[in-house]
C-alpha cells in the first residue's frame, strides 16, 4: 500500500512541496498527486507585468513534472472533507473525489475588494492571470491622457503603478495610499521611491482611504473624488473560502492555523503552506502573504512530511525575512533590507542594480518551481510508518 499524498494547488508553494517530497521519499512507498485548476504554472509575482503588456514564458505543469514521480491532476478543487479524508474535484469529465492519507493545502489567495462599494463591480485586479489579462486588455483601449488609479500603497500597488506608468507614459497614472508613500521603508528607500514616481510622472494621493469606486472615479474618506477611468485594486489578498468550509481550525480571514512544521493544529494529517496558511514568524507576528515567506513554508512542510513518514529530524528553524524586493518598472528597483520580523533597516539597494537583483529573485523562484526535483540531494527514504487499513496509520504522530 502506498501512502497517498495529495497537494492542492501548483503555485509557488504547492509545486515545491510536491517536488521536494518526491525527492525525499521512495517512489514505491508514496503516491504524490498535485491538483491544479490550470495547466500552466502561473508566476503570480509577475502579474503586474502581464497587465502592463509584457508576455510571460508559458510554463506547462506537465513538462515541469514529467519524470519526477509526481502525478498531475488538472481539476478544480471544490471542497475538502477532513473527516473522511477526501477532496472533491471537478474537471471536464465532471465531479470526482480523491482520497488522501496526507493532504497539503496550497490553494493560495485572490484579490480582496474588502467590501468597498463599487470595487467588485468597477475595479480591476492583478492577483490572478485572468484579472491581469482583463486589465491588460482595458489598458490597451485607453487613449492618451486618460486616468489610471492604483488603489493600495503596499508592495503590489507600488509594483503595479510603476509598471503601468513606465509602459504607458501617455496615460495619467496615480496611486492612492492609505498612509504616506512607502511609509514603512527606510528614509533612503522612501527617497528613492519619490524619485522614481517623479521620473515616471506618477501622482501620489497620500492619506487617501478609498471608500467607494465608480465607473470613472473613486471617493475617499475625506471627501475627495479622484478621477479614475481605470481603478486597479491592490489592497491585499484574501484566501479562497474552501478551508473555511471544513472542520479545520482557521483564522477569521480563513487561513489554516498551523504549527512550526506547517501541520494543521486541528488535523494532523493536513498541512497548509503559502498564502493559505497562518504561520507565526519572528516576534510572534504572522508571516505576510508572500513568496518570500511562502517558499520556506513549502520547504518546512515537505521536510516534516518526509521526516514523519520515514524518520529523521523535523525542521525547527523559524522562517524569517531578509529583504523586500520591489520592482519599480523594468529599469528601476528597490531592495529594502529588513529585520527578521520584516521591519526596515537603514540599508537599501536602489536603481538599476536593484532591478537586476529583483529580476534574478523572480527567475530563481520560477526556476525552483520549474525544476522541482533538481538540485536537491537524492535521499529517497523508505516509509516506515506501519499501516493498518488503507488510509490509516498506527504509529503516534510526532
Ligand atoms: C502582482 C503581484 C506581485 C507580487 N510580488 C511579490 C514579490 O515581489 N515578492 C513576494 O514575496 N510575493 C509577491 N507576491 C505574492 C505572491 O505571489 C504570493 O504570496 C504567492 O504566489 C503565494 O503562493 P501560493 O503557492 O500560496 O499561492 P499561488 O501562487 O497563488 O498558487 C495557488 C495555486 O492554486 C491554484 N488554485 C487555486 N484555487 C484552486 C482550486 N479551487 N482548484 C484547483 N486549483 C486552485 C491556483 O491556480 C494556483 O496555481 C505578489 C503577488 C502579486 C499578485
Amino acid at each position: 500500500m502506498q501512502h497517498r499524498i495529495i497537494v492542492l494547488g501548483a503555485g509557488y508553494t504547492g509545486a515545491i512541496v510536491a517536488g521536494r517530497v518526491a525527492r525525499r521519499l521512495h517512489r514505491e512507498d508514496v503516491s504524490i498527486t498535485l491538483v491544479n485548476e490550470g495547466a500552466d504554472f502561473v508566476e503570480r509575482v509577475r502579474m503586474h507585468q502581464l497587465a502592463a503588456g509584457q508576455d510571460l514564458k508559458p510554463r506547462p505543469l506537465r513538462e515541469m513534472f514529467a519524470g519526477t514521480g509526481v502525478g498531475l491532476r488538472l481539476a478544480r478543487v471544490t471542497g475538502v472533507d477532513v473527516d473522511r479524508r477526501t477532496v472533491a474535484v471537478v474537471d471536464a469529465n465532471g465531479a470526482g473525489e480523491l482520497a488522501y492519507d496526507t493532504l497539503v493545502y496550497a490553494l493560495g489567495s485572490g484579490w480582496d475588494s474588502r467590501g468597498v462599494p463599487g470595487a467588485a463591480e468597477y475595479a480591476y485586479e492583478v492577483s490572478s492571470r485572468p484579472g491581469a489579462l482583463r486589465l491588460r486588455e482595458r489598458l490597451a483601449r485607453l487613449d492618451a491622457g486618460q486616468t489610471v488609479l492604483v488603489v493600495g500603497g503596499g508592495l503590489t500597488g507600488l509594483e503595479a503603478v510603476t509598471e503601468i506608468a513606465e509602459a504607458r507614459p501617455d496615460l495619467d497614472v496615480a496611486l492612492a495610499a492609505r498612509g504616506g508613500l512607502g511609509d514603512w521603508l527606510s528614509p533612503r528607500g522612501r527617497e528613492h521611491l519619490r524619485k522614481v514616481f517623479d521620473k515616471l510622472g506618477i501622482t501620489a494621493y497620500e492619506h487617501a482611504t478609498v471608500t467607494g469606486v465608480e465607473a470613472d472615479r473613486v471617493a475617499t474618506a475625506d471627501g475627495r473624488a479622484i478621477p479614475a477611468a481605470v481603478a486597479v485594486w491592490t489592497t491585499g489578498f484574501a484566501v479562497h473560502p474552501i478551508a473555511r468550509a471544513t472542520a479545520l481550525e482557521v483564522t477569521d480571514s480563513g487561513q489554516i492555523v498551523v504549527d512550526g512544521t506547517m501541520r494543521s493544529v486541528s488535523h494532523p494529517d493536513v498541512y497548509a503552506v503559502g498564502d493559505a496558511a497562518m504561520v507565526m514568524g519572528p516576534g510572534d507576528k504572522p508571516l505576510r502573504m508572500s513568496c518570500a515567506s511562502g517558499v520556506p513554508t513549502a520547504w518546512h512542510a515537505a521536510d516534516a512530511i518526509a521526516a514523519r513518514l520515514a524518520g529523521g529530524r523535523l525542521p525547527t528553524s523559524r522562517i524569517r525575512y531578509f529583504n523586500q524586493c520591489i520592482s519599480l518598472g523594468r529599469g528601476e528597483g528597490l531592495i529594502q533590507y529588513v529585520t527578521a520580523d520584516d521591519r526596515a533597516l537603514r540599508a537599501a539597494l536602489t536603481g538599476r542594480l536593484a532591478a537586476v537583483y529583483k529580476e534574478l529573485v523572480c527567475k530563481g523562484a520560477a526556476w525552483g518551481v520549474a525544476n522541482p526535483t533538481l538540485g536537491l540531494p537524492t535521499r529517497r527514504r523508505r516509509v516506515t510508518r506501519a499501516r493498518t487499513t488503507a488510509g490509516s496509520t498506527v504509529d503516534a504522530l510526532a
Side-chain angles (χ1 to χ4, degrees):
M1 271 303 284
Q2 287 180 312
H3 185 92
R4 297 160 302 180
I5 300 172
I6 293 191
V7 182
L8 306 183
Y12 288 96
T13 61
I16 287 174
V17 174
R20 200 167 169 107
V21 169
R23 191 73 169 178
R24 296 260 185 267
L25 297 175
H26 203 282
R27 284 191 193 175
E28 284 173 14
D29 298 345
V30 286
S31 73
I32 304 166
T33 307
L34 181 59
V35 186
N36 199 64
E37 190 165 14
D40 285 337
F41 167 68
V42 173
E43 282 185 271
R44 256 182 94 194
V45 302
R46 293 192 191 271
M47 288 302 102
H48 55 297
Q49 295 176 234
L50 185 67
Q54 294 160 42
D55 292 324
L56 304 182
K57 188 175 163 190
R59 297 179 182 275
L61 288 164
R62 286 226 183 275
E63 281 176 23
M64 285 162 51
F65 283 93
T68 61
V70 175
L72 190 62
R73 175 76 191 263
L74 297 182
R76 184 158 57 86
V77 176
T78 54
V80 177
D81 186 331
V82 288
D83 297 321
R84 291 177 52 239
R85 294 188 188 172
T86 55
V87 176
V89 293
V90 173
D91 61 16
N93 300 319
E97 198 172 74
L98 308 171
Y100 65 83
D101 299 308
T102 295
L103 182 75
V104 182
Y105 187 105
L107 291 181
S109 63
W111 74 301
D112 187 0
S113 69
R114 295 181 184 248
V116 171
E121 195 178 350
Y122 295 113
Y124 290 77
E125 57 104 357
V126 289
S127 87
S128 67
R129 194 166 182 275
L133 288 173
R134 187 170 155 261
L135 174 59
R136 176 186 174 116
E137 191 263 332
R138 179 73 184 101
L139 290 174
R141 283 191 287 112
L142 287 183
D143 295 324
Q146 285 195 278
T147 49
V148 176
L149 177 73
V150 174
V151 180
L155 298 171
T156 309
L158 296 180
E159 293 202 324
V161 78
T162 48
E163 203 75 49
I164 294 168
E166 186 188 75
R168 290 291 305 272
D170 58 320
L171 296 176
D172 184 354
V173 180
L175 177 102
R178 195 199 290 270
L181 182 64
D183 56 7
W184 74 92
L185 298 167
S186 62
R188 181 168 153 75
R190 282 200 299 272
E191 191 194 328
H192 185 68
L193 193 57
R194 287 201 187 272
K195 237 188 246 167
V196 174
F197 266 49
D198 285 348
K199 194 170 90 184
L200 295 174
I202 302 168
T203 308
Y205 295 96
E206 298 179 79
H207 308 289
T209 301
V210 173
T211 52
V213 184
E214 294 175 35
D216 59 354
R217 77 197 67 182
V218 307
T220 64
D222 57 0
R224 280 182 276 180
I226 305 176
V230 171
V232 183
W233 202 261
T234 68
T235 62
F237 304 134
V239 294
H240 301 295
I242 292 173
R244 194 196 291 279
T246 67
L248 288 166
E249 184 171 330
V250 298
T251 60
D252 289 347
S253 62
Q255 283 177 306
I256 298 171
V257 183
V258 295
D259 64 15
T261 66
M262 307 306 130
R263 184 158 74 164
S264 155
V265 295
S266 60
H267 290 73
D269 42 12
V270 177
Y271 291 73
V273 291
D275 288 0
M278 211 294 285
V279 185
M280 293 311 283
D284 273 339
K285 277 164 57 180
L287 298 178
R288 65 185 155 84
M289 293 188 195
S290 66
C291 264
S293 51
V295 168
T297 68
W299 297 335
H300 271 41
D303 294 351
I305 291 168
R308 288 195 172 106
L309 288 176
R313 264 195 281 164
L314 288 171
T316 50
S317 61
R318 217 89 217 255
I319 294 168
R320 56 153 299 163
Y321 293 95
F322 295 96
N323 52 34
Q324 295 175 1
C325 302
I326 314 169
S327 67
L328 301 171
R330 291 302 84 202
E332 274 288 354
L334 171 58
I335 309 300
Q336 175 63 63
Y337 296 98
V338 296
T339 57
D341 65 347
D342 211 23
R343 285 171 294 120
L345 294 164
R346 281 172 65 86
L349 184 68
T350 59
R352 178 87 198 128
L353 196 56
V356 171
Y357 185 113
K358 171 70 197 260
E359 179 56 24
L360 287 176
V361 168
C362 291
K363 280 205 169 105
W367 188 91
V369 172
N371 298 278
T373 56
L374 255 186
L376 289 170
T378 309
R379 270 183 283 135
R380 292 210 180 100
R381 301 198 300 263
R382 306 302 303 230
V383 170
T384 53
R385 291 176 73 193
R387 290 181 153 282
T388 46
T389 55
S392 66
T393 48
V394 288
D395 56 337
L397 289 159

